[in-house]
């Protein structure tokens, strides 16, 4: 049994890189950025930054080993770093990283009675949790998948997420390009589907033929009744799933859509814990769950994946704004789960950050390659850290 290497230091960084085209695609005339650099997508009334931004957590053990974690820094990143610095870091100091899962419970307990069941607080825990699992893996020279019982696969099918072009014709051309590169499944985004979701589904089905899987992210835009009607109209185009049809607060509406839509419903990217998923499993709100590692951390992602297994649901992880660290952690857990047909691939973010990390992780020709080596298998390079500010 090696000597315990306890946590000695927890540090936070905010990483910011400018983008030429905003996430999800070009802005409409009434979607211009405000002085803080945020704009509101009219399609789903959601605020986004014009840049790519993420929060990194670096945890150092007494023997000098370092683990890296990551969560979302899309808006108000200092909310997350303040929670980590002020609340979580002093509690984690002196702990044994082999206790990552029980540390998650301890950190969650700290703010329960104040109602912090999600949001920035649980994002902050997720970043710390990923760093602790990475640290444990590096101390023990084992991957997170090995720590969780072993990888079932090292190649994970990837679906292409988002077609960030201004017009439908351009989006169909882009989809064809991805199919030409070996990808067999693509998802388009209702929030930028300016010609209409039905027109886009039809154009993609006609453009891609019968053998490519097509999905749509409905971005919480509809009431349950509207979503059921829309799902019926989409039936001829044989979508593999519809995602996030109605508001996350509307659990009964989600259940109605899941009952009446002719294709499977996927949801869950905005949920962080087994406690948030549990009522959706109980009401059969979905056939596919989409945990997002940047919100869940390793500990909750695995638990949600096992709940999905027990409920007969597939797991198709969500994966968006990561410099590579929480994507790698997501692949590590995804590799261990039994019912995982695809993992999301946000090409416009993944591809630009991959050269800024040290990893064997790739996504090509329709598959992710699980990163080799200990922990989650990704280390930020000095070049990436040049875009980071200690926070
Ligand atoms: Mg989505």
């Amino acid at each position: 049994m090696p000597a315990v290497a306890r946590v000695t230091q927890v540090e936070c960084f905010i990483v910011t890189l400018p983008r030429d085209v905003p996430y999800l695609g070009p802005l409409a005339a009434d979607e211009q950025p405000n002085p803080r650099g945020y704009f509101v997508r009219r399609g789903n009334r959601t605020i986004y930054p014009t840049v790519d931004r993420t929060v990194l957590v670096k945890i150092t053990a007494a023997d000098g080993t370092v683990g890296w974690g990551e969560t979302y820094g899309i808006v108000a990143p200092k909310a997350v770093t303040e929670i980590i610095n002020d609340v979580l870091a002093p509690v984690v100091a002196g702990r044994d990283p082999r206790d990552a899962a029980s540390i998650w419970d301890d950190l969650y307990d700290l703010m329960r009675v104040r109602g912090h069941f999600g949001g920035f607080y649980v994002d902050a825990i997720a970043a710390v949790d990923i760093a602790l699992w990475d640290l444990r893996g590096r101390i023990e020279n084992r991957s997170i998948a090995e720590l969780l019982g072993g990888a079932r696969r090292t190649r994970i099918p990837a679906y292409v997420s988002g077609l960030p072009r201004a017009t439908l014709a351009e989006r169909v051309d882009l989809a064809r390009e991805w199919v030409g590169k070996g990808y067999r499944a693509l998802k388009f985004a209702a929030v930028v589907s300016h010609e209409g979701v039905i027109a886009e589904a039809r154009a993609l089905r006609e453009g891609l033929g019968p053998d490519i899987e097509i999905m749509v992210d409905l971005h919480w835009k509809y009431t349950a009744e509207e979503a059921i009607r829309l799902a019926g109209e989409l039936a001829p185009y044989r979508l593999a799933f519809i995602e996030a049809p109605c508001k996350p607060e509307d659990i009964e509406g989600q259940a109605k859509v899941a009952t009446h839509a002719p294709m499977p419903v996927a949801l869950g990217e905005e949920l962080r814990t087994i406690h948030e998923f549990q009522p959706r499993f109980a009401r059969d709100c979905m056939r596919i769950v989409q945990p997002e590692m940047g919100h869940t951390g390793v500990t909750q992602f695995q638990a949600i994946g096992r709940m999905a297994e027990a409920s007969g649901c597939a797991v198709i992880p969500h994966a968006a704004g990561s410099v590579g660290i929480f994507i790698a952690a997501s692949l590590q857990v995804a590799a261990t789960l039994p019912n995982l047909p695809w993992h999301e691939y946000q090409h416009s973010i993944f591809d630009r950050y991959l050269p800024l990390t040290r990893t064997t992780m790739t996504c090509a020709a329709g598959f992710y390659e699980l990163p080799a080596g200990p922990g989650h298998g990704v280390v930020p390079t000095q070049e990436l850290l040049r875009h980071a500010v200690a926070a």
Side-chain angles (χ1 to χ4, degrees):
M1 200 71 177
V4 176
R6 294 185 182 278
V7 170
T8 54
Q9 194 175 23
V10 179
E11 298 165 87
C12 296
F13 303 87
I14 298 171
V15 178
T16 305
L17 260 81
R19 290 182 71 91
D20 293 334
V21 177
Y23 178 61
L24 294 177
L27 298 182
D30 61 348
E31 293 177 334
Q32 293 310 303
N34 69 23
R36 301 288 296 190
Y38 298 117
F39 62 90
V40 176
R41 287 274 182 207
R42 296 299 162 202
N44 64 353
R45 304 190 295 282
T46 299
I47 195 163
Y48 297 89
T50 52
V51 295
D52 283 346
R53 196 165 52 210
T54 186
V55 169
L56 301 186
V57 174
K58 178 185 180 186
I59 300 187
T60 307
D63 67 354
T65 309
V66 166
W68 286 94
E70 182 186 22
T71 185
Y72 278 85
I74 292 177
V75 296
K78 288 181 183 168
V80 171
T81 58
E82 180 65 9
I83 290 166
I84 294 171
N85 291 328
D86 198 47
V87 182
L88 307 183
V91 177
V92 172
R95 297 291 301 264
D96 181 343
R98 290 176 297 187
D99 296 338
S102 58
I103 293 172
W104 190 97
D105 291 335
D106 293 344
L107 299 179
Y108 185 79
D109 286 349
L110 299 175
M111 293 286 278
R112 170 182 284 114
V113 301
R114 302 184 186 114
H116 292 268
F117 309 126
F120 292 116
Y121 187 68
V122 180
D123 280 358
I125 299 176
V128 169
D129 180 82
I130 295 166
L132 287 171
W133 279 97
D134 188 42
L135 181 57
R136 177 185 169 190
R138 288 175 192 281
I139 290 170
E140 298 184 9
N141 197 28
R142 296 166 80 200
S143 70
I144 290 174
E146 289 170 331
L147 296 176
L148 297 177
R152 294 164 185 271
R153 58 191 84 82
T154 59
R155 296 179 83 221
I156 298 171
Y159 79 82
V160 173
S161 186
L163 299 167
R165 293 287 185 274
T167 68
L168 179 50
E170 290 171 310
R171 293 197 288 278
V172 173
D173 285 346
L174 181 58
R176 279 209 200 91
E177 276 178 42
W178 283 111
V179 170
K181 292 178 193 169
Y183 291 84
R184 307 297 297 168
L186 300 100
K187 187 174 80 186
F188 69 98
V191 71
V192 288
S193 190
H194 302 304
E195 291 87 345
V197 169
I198 294 166
E200 187 146 349
R202 183 191 307 124
L204 286 169
R205 180 54 73 209
E206 288 171 358
L208 301 178
D211 299 329
I212 299 300
E213 301 287 2
I214 300 170
M215 307 79 125
V216 61
D217 189 344
L218 296 178
H219 280 123
W220 314 275
K221 280 181 63 168
Y222 303 96
T223 66
E225 290 70 24
E226 290 168 346
I228 291 166
R229 195 164 56 241
L230 177 63
E233 291 168 338
L234 287 169
Y237 311 112
R238 293 182 300 99
L239 302 188
F241 63 74
I242 57 172
E243 174 175 325
C246 52
K247 285 186 184 136
E249 304 92 318
D250 187 7
I251 294 179
E252 288 309 309
Q254 290 175 337
K256 271 189 226 163
V257 179
T259 300
H260 297 293
M263 68 288 279
V265 170
L267 58 82
E269 70 180 79
E270 71 279 22
L271 308 175
R272 289 167 174 77
T273 67
I274 52 173
H275 309 297
E276 292 186 319
F277 272 96
Q278 193 279 335
R280 275 92 178 173
F281 284 118
R283 293 289 293 114
D284 283 330
C285 289
M286 64 281 167
R287 300 315 302 152
I288 297 161
V289 296
Q290 299 174 295
E292 163 56 79
M293 177 61 72
H295 293 318
T296 63
V298 170
T299 300
Q300 287 298 307
F301 191 114
Q302 186 197 28
I304 294 160
R306 291 301 182 186
M307 284 177 89
E309 181 189 4
S311 302
C313 292
V315 180
I316 303 181
H318 183 263
S322 169
V323 300
I325 288 172
F326 74 61
I327 293 281
S330 185
L331 295 175
Q332 291 287 344
V333 188
T336 72
L337 294 174
N339 191 11
L340 195 129
W342 292 299
H343 192 292
E344 186 168 11
Y345 167 46
Q346 275 289 354
H347 47 91
S348 78
I349 298 175
F350 182 89
D351 292 5
R352 75 182 300 221
Y353 282 105
L354 196 62
L356 302 181
T357 58
R358 205 165 73 240
T359 183
T360 64
M361 175 172 68
T362 55
C363 192
F367 289 88
Y368 281 105
E369 192 67 39
L370 185 68
H376 48 57
V378 169
V379 177
T381 61
Q382 284 307 313
E383 194 185 345
L384 174 61
L385 294 176
R386 271 200 288 278
H387 301 281
V389 174

